[in-house]
Amino acid sequence: SYVISFGGCNMRCGFCANREGVEFPDRGRPLDVEFLRSRIMEAARRGAATVNLMGGEPTCSLFAVARLFDGFDCPLPVIWNSNFYFSPEVAEVIKALADIFLADLKFGNQECATRLASAPRYLETVHANLLAVAPGSDLILRHLVMPGHFDCCTAPVLDWTSRNLPGVEVSLLETYFPPAGSDDGELKRPIRAEEIRRAREYALERG
């Protein structure tokens, strides 16, 4: 996959693995439409299978992404790699821009979303966007398994997905590692093998 990483994000997850790119988006280079198009074409010639738009959060650079693909006959499927925390209007735009949606559903309740990511109205926003994009789309849902958050986040996420998005592929991310200097309760330790095993078993039970 040819990866394009965009700076900036509309969430502030305390456990973010890309904090520098999120908090200091101006450290990247300005988007050069013709340069990126040429790189995409070259990647296709070299055997790349997709173009992966990620961040940060690509939604924060939506205008630039629209410029990139406007009038461009992209030879590769486009992946929208996103937290899905955006407006309904953005959901309609990206449905026309992307071929594959790689979406995060990080939290299973609003209290964790507010406390850990400064994301008001998180559940209603992300749920609505997932439901808007899912019909007829190639959607893959990711969930980061976090230490101490099975009952409040992992189980509710898997329950909701099973009820509302049957058949959608779910990917459990088992790579959580606490950021340097973290002092946020359970999140200051690595994920344990038994927590990963519990999440896997619950996911299989929910289909």
Side-chain angles (χ1 to χ4, degrees), residues 77-158:
V78 175
I79 300 175
W80 196 269
N81 193 330
S82 170
N83 61 30
F84 262 59
Y85 185 60
F86 43 66
S87 70
E89 292 78 12
V90 169
E92 291 302 311
V93 172
I94 68 168
K95 284 166 66 176
L97 285 174
D99 303 287
I100 302 166
F101 300 96
L102 191 54
D104 289 317
L105 185 49
K106 298 176 185 291
F107 306 107
N109 68 94
Q110 186 55 52
E111 191 276 332
C112 287
T114 300
R115 180 170 59 86
L116 299 176
S118 301
R121 300 177 61 187
Y122 175 83
L123 284 184
E124 63 182 276
T125 299
V126 177
H127 285 173
N129 288 330
L130 290 169
L131 293 173
V133 167
S137 297
D138 190 351
L139 172 66
I140 300 171
L141 187 67
R142 296 178 303 194
H143 173 68
L144 177 65
V145 181
M146 298 181 290
H149 281 259
F150 177 84
D151 292 324
C152 56
C153 289
T154 297
V157 162
L158 294 173

